[in-house]
Amino acid sequence: MKKAKWTMRQAILGLVVGCTLFAIIAQTVAFEVTSRNQIRRESLLNNDETLGRIESELNSYIHGITVKMQTIYSESEMLYDMRYSHAKRRRLLNHYWKAWHLSEEHFDSSDQLLAMYIYDNDNKLVSSWRKQPYNYPRDLYDTDQYVNISHLKSYIDSDDYSVMLSGYHNEEADRDVLRFCLKLHTYDDERSQLGYLVCDYNTQNFAEIMSKYISSRDVYVWLQPNGDSPITRVGNTTKEETRIFSDITKIIATKSENYNELEDEYGAFYLNSRPSEKYNMSIYMLTPQSLLLQTQSALARMLIIIAGIILLVTILLGIMISSFIYRPVDELNHTIIKIKDGDTELRARTDGWSEELKVMGEEFNEMLDRIQNMVQEEYEAKVLMERTQYKVLQAQINPHFLYNTLDTMSGIAASQDCTLVSGLCQSLSAIFRYSLDISDTQSTLQQEMAHVRNYLYVMDVRIGSTIKYTYKIESDTLMDSIPRITLQPIVENAIQHGLRKSRRKDKELVISAKHKDGNLVVTIKDNGAGMDAEEMNEQLKKADISRIEMGRSIGIMNVNARVKSVYGSGYGIHYESVSEDGTKAVIILPVVKEEEENGGEVQGIVS
């Protein structure tokens, strides 16, 4: 059975729908995963920041309350009697109303003070005051009510002199009570303890401070000292949240030091905690995950709806667009089949909507029109190719004839003991061989120097050995790539226009090469007649490439233009010259290494 293939229309529609569906699914999954983790991280971080702000304001409020409690130190007579209470127990009776005076003078109604107790070191009551005497005991140590006296005793027996915070639930008043306890002591070196002051407050102020920073009543926040029961709490709780709250508070109440049992997540809730840096309490926040993920769920639902709409619109548009696009392609396909079946006079329509299809139809028709001439054109192309190959072979024969003739002349001169003629023939043969080799436009600095030395040998034979040649070529530059026939035209210019026009007897030509700033720098310096370097440099900057292609530029201009053409305008030749003191040509090329090949060096190098 022949396997059915997709048409272009089906492929376009399938590709569009498939890509859209894949993008939607990938985006939805990525959003679901990343947004959940991101919301969790940001929510925990935001909760920590909220707890930090709550702690800051609570610390400020507690400090204000503590300052008011410390005004008890102004009662020096009472403190003196408390210090010596064993000897002056009867005198303490004189301070029975002191708690009432302190509450009236230093506390106002906004502090919501419920009761005040002053005790000596033997836990004997010195003075007490209660806003509602029938709801709060006169003496915390002499009552049947639960007033969390155990935590108070633990603090009194400890060496901690900071303000203690505790709390309990007063059953008689049906109210949470926040307790402050301040140890009274001397400030001398002995730091003798005199007794302690206990103030019970309504937790409403604390609850209002915490509520101010809570955005939803579903978030549950409470204060709890380490090793003690919760002080106050705000927010609404569900059954599950109440169970988690009970478990956590039990863990905290049974620990007297820092603990590590608490996690970030409890079921469907996040837990944030922040221990106070100044007081023996911590702030806890229990946040439902559903509250934090409401935004994510809403965005996810909206994303799914939008994805469905996009997919539906994509399918409809895909059907219409693919039909519109495919129609001229289908017509062209049927035309090609008919032409294949023998209707060679038929031509494709060129009035389609697409410029590409229009051009395709025109080109296809043009191709059909040229089918009848293709055989003749192919024959003519074969003939032209054969002629070209013949000319190439002929062009190769002529230089080889010249090389062979020079080699023969060198051999004859050597046999006749004419070493000068033999060397000259060898150098000329090497020069022609190097210059006429067009198989590669690039060479190496080593091969270029060999070519230059052959040229200088020939020049010495022509004009006599009146010039001293000095070479300062660093070894690591020898295999650097360099355009073929770069140095010889510059050396020739230095000899013809510099040294030969000078009358000095110590004529010298110095060729040096080194690496500098990541470039290959070749310097050709003579001590000849000099030149107008500024004008030359202006001409070199133009670097007219068309003059090379048209064969109108020779010598230095040609070399400079070729270098810039190959490597860019940042490279080339630069001249420096002083009249009657010589000229220096500086060639700057990039460092490009070329592997040394067998037979790569120029033959016939003359030392």
Side-chain angles (χ1 to χ4, degrees), residues 239-400:
K239 183 177 180 180
E240 175 67 14
E241 199 168 5
T242 302
R243 183 189 63 79
I244 295 174
F245 168 77
S246 177
D247 294 341
I248 295 175
T249 53
K250 287 180 181 179
I251 294 175
I252 301 171
T254 56
K255 297 295 180 179
S256 58
E257 302 294 337
N258 293 333
Y259 43 87
N260 299 316
E261 289 86 347
L262 299 181
E263 304 291 339
D264 290 338
E265 293 188 27
Y266 284 84
F269 298 88
Y270 292 133
L271 176 66
N272 293 79
S273 62
R274 185 180 183 88
S276 175
E277 297 179 356
K278 297 182 178 181
Y279 306 103
N280 63 318
M281 69 171 185
S282 298
I283 311 172
Y284 301 89
M285 177 182 290
L286 200 60
T287 308
Q289 293 185 15
S290 58
L291 182 64
L292 302 178
L293 298 178
Q294 284 179 357
T295 303
Q296 182 198 18
S297 300
L299 291 175
R301 289 192 297 270
M302 183 61 66
L303 186 62
I304 293 174
I305 294 174
I306 294 175
I309 295 174
I310 291 176
L311 185 60
L312 180 61
V313 172
T314 301
I315 293 174
L316 295 177
L317 290 178
I319 293 174
M320 292 187 294
I321 294 175
S322 62
S323 176
F324 179 69
I325 293 175
Y326 183 67
R327 186 180 300 110
V329 177
D330 187 43
E331 292 178 357
L332 181 60
N333 182 49
H334 284 86
T335 301
I336 293 174
I337 293 175
K338 291 180 180 179
I339 294 174
K340 175 186 174 183
D341 292 338
D343 191 0
T344 56
E345 300 298 326
L346 188 62
R347 294 293 182 267
R349 294 181 57 183
T350 60
D351 56 350
W353 63 269
S354 171
E355 182 66 23
E356 290 82 359
L357 292 175
K358 180 180 178 181
V359 172
M360 185 185 299
E362 293 175 351
E363 295 296 327
F364 180 71
N365 292 337
E366 184 178 352
M367 180 189 67
L368 294 177
D369 294 336
R370 296 182 58 186
I371 285 178
Q372 298 177 354
N373 300 325
M374 286 183 61
V375 176
Q376 181 66 25
E377 291 178 358
E378 183 179 358
Y379 172 76
E380 292 177 357
K382 289 182 179 180
V383 173
L384 180 60
M385 183 178 296
E386 291 175 357
R387 292 177 180 176
T388 303
Q389 291 176 348
Y390 176 78
K391 289 183 179 180
V392 171
L393 292 174
Q394 188 179 40
Q396 291 178 344
I397 292 173
N398 293 335
H400 282 294

Side-chain angles (χ1 to χ4, degrees), residues 377-439:
E377 291 178 358
E378 183 179 358
Y379 172 76
E380 292 177 357
K382 289 182 179 180
V383 173
L384 180 60
M385 183 178 296
E386 291 175 357
R387 292 177 180 176
T388 303
Q389 291 176 348
Y390 176 78
K391 289 183 179 180
V392 171
L393 292 174
Q394 188 179 40
Q396 291 178 344
I397 292 173
N398 293 335
H400 282 294
F401 175 75
L402 178 60
Y403 304 153
N404 294 334
T405 302
L406 289 173
D407 290 339
T408 301
M409 292 172 62
S410 176
I412 294 173
S415 65
Q416 297 295 326
D417 200 20
C418 295
T419 56
L420 181 62
V421 177
S422 177
L424 183 62
C425 291
Q426 290 181 8
S427 295
L428 285 173
S429 177
I431 290 172
F432 289 142
R433 194 181 302 273
Y434 186 76
S435 300
L436 298 177
D437 184 7
I438 60 173
S439 60

Side-chain angles (χ1 to χ4, degrees), residues 34 38 68 78 102 115 133 184 197 219 235-236 244 256 309 323 387 403 420 425 532 546 548 579:
T34 58
Q38 184 68 20
K68 291 184 178 182
M78 182 185 69
L102 288 174
L184 305 177
L197 172 64
V219 178
N236 301 325
I244 295 174
S256 58
I309 295 174
S323 176
R387 292 177 180 176
Y403 304 153
L420 181 62
C425 291
D532 187 353
S546 63
I548 298 176
S579 180

Side-chain angles (χ1 to χ4, degrees), residues 468-486:
K468 177 184 176 181
Y469 305 116
T470 303
Y471 306 103
K472 299 178 181 179
I473 310 297
E474 295 183 0
S475 59
D476 59 346
T477 65
L478 292 176
M479 295 309 296
D480 288 357
S481 179
I482 183 172
R484 186 180 292 273
I485 315 297
T486 296

